[in-house]
Amino acid sequence: MTKEVREKIQALFDLKGLRMTRPREVILEAAFSDRGDHFTADELFEKARAIDRSTSRATLYRTVALLVEGGLLHEIDLGKGVTSYDPNFIDSPNHNHLVCIDCSNVIEFEDLHISVLEDCITRRLGFTPASKSVQIRARCDALKRAGTCVHLVD
Amino acid sequence: MTKEVREKIQALFDLKGLRMTRPREVILEAAFSDRGDHFTADELFEKARAIDRSTSRATLYRTVALLVEGGLLHEIDLGKGVTSYDPNFIDSPNHNHLVCIDCSNVIEFEDLHISVLEDCITRRLGFTPASKSVQIRARCDALKRAGTCVHLVD
DNA sequence: TTAGATGCAAAGACTTTGCAGTTAA
DNA sequence: TTAACTGCAAAGTCTTTGCATCTAA
C-alpha cells in the first residue's frame, strides 16, 4: 500500500470519526496492497481471509460500503453480473476500462480528449459533470492472430 | 411498438426458432411500446402485469435473457444497484447515458467524436472494439438555479 | 467511559431452475 | 406430433441487518 493511499484512508477515517480496528486493517490491506487488481466482494473476502482467516463477510461489506462512500473504492461493472470494485481511482482519478471479451482482461486507460469531450457534452446538455466513465468491450487482436494473448498474464 | 422493432423481434425469433406465445407478446409489448423508457426487471414485471395480470416472473426473466442475448435489449447500469434494461439500442445503436444525480433522470445522447476517439484508443491498445459506452453522472443546472428542473417530467 | 465496531445468524432482494403440464408450428 | 414454452415453487446467489458483545480512543 502506497503512502498516498494510507494518507487518504487516514483522512477519511479522521473525517468520519471511524476507528482503525484489526478487521478493517486486514480488509484495507487486502483491497489496496495487491497491485491495483479489481475484485468482487467475494474475491476481496478470499484475499482478506488469506491474511486473517477470521475475516467476516458482514464486516467486509460494511467496510467496503464505507470506502465506496468515501471515494476510495469505486464500484465498476465489468460485465460479470456482480459488482466489482476498483481501488485505483486514488492514483488515477480519471481512468476508464477496456474489457477484453476474449481473455476477459481489464485494461485501464486515460484519455484527455475524451474527458474534455465528455465535459462539453455534459454542459451543452445543461448539466455539471460529477463523474464520467467510459467502458469499452473489445476483442484482443493478438489472440485472434496468434492464438495466444499477452494479456493472458492474468 | 415501431415496425422496425417488430421486424427485429421477428428476425430474432425466426433465427433462433423461438415461438411467439401470449406471455411473450405481453412482455414484448411492455418492453417496447412505452416511449423508450428504461426499466428494471421488476418495473417490466409491473408493466407487463398491467397488460396481463397472469405474467410470471420466471417467463419474464427468461424472455429478457433471450432479448439481451439477441441484442434487442441492453443491460445498463444506472447506479440503482439493480440492472436496468434499455430498449432503445434498436433505434440508436450508439447512444450513451447521462444520469442526473439530482433528479435521477436519464438523458440519452450520441456523439460521433467520442465514438471515433473510443475507436482509436481501442485499436491503439491492440484491440478491436465490440461495444462502447459512456456514462456520465452529473448535476442539473436548472435545478440548482431555479429549484426545479425541466427533466423532472419523468 | 462510551460511541463505534464486530460477528453471528437470520432475513432480504433479486434471479435461476427442475419439473410436470401446456402449446405453437 | 413434438420441441419449445410455461408457471409454480424451491433453490441459489449476493448483500444487508438486528442484536448482544466487544473495544478503540
Side-chain angles (χ1 to χ4, degrees), chain A residues 19-21 41 57-58 61-62 82-83 85:
Chain A
R19 292 176 182 173
M20 189 49 73
T21 62
R57 281 204 160 79
Y61 277 109
R62 283 189 277 233
V82 240
T83 304
Y85 297 92

Side-chain angles (χ1 to χ4, degrees), chain B residues 19-21 41 57-58 61-62 82:
Chain B
R19 290 174 185 177
M20 189 50 73
T21 62
R57 281 205 158 79
Y61 277 110
R62 284 189 277 233
V82 240

Side-chain angles (χ1 to χ4, degrees), chain A residues 102-116:
Chain A
D102 297 320
C103 54
S104 70
N105 223 282
V106 180
I107 313 249
E108 301 194 341
F109 66 91
E110 282 191 63
D111 187 274
L112 191 55
H113 300 102
I114 285 209
S115 294
V116 171

